[in-house]
Amino acid sequence: MYIIVIAWLYVVILMAATEKSIAAGLLTFIFYGLLPCALLLWILGVKHRRHYKNRQLLNQDMGDPDSGNTKTDQ
């Protein structure tokens, strides 16, 4: 996934370098490079973040199952 982002940013940097003004180059880089890549990484990372969150919750719940009632029996 990251190799695609790196390759696309390389292409966009070359596109931005050929613009006539610095402002046009910056806007090209931001709107054709940074924003689409950030959106792509965010969308593709949702599954990973959800899995990580569920794993954390499971580890929290199953961390020490015998510690629910620590009082002695009478």
Side-chain angles (χ1 to χ4, degrees):
M1 173 171 66
Y2 294 119
I3 191 75
I4 295 169
V5 171
I6 292 169
W8 180 246
L9 286 176
Y10 176 74
V11 169
V12 171
I13 287 173
L14 293 179
M15 287 173 47
T18 62
E19 293 290 339
K20 294 184 184 209
S21 68
I22 293 176
L26 285 175
L27 290 175
T28 298
F29 181 70
I30 290 170
F31 288 113
Y32 286 144
L34 289 182
L35 290 178
C37 287
L39 181 66
L40 176 74
L41 290 174
W42 180 71
I43 289 173
L44 294 177
V46 168
K47 182 179 178 183
H48 176 71
R49 286 191 305 270
R50 187 180 312 134
H51 176 70
Y52 183 73
K53 182 180 174 184
N54 287 341
R55 187 172 40 166
Q56 260 187 337
L57 289 174
L58 184 62
N59 287 341
Q60 217 174 34
D61 291 341
M62 298 301 291
D64 193 8
D66 292 334
S67 67
N69 187 5
T70 58
K71 296 181 181 178
T72 59
D73 291 336
Q74 292 185 11

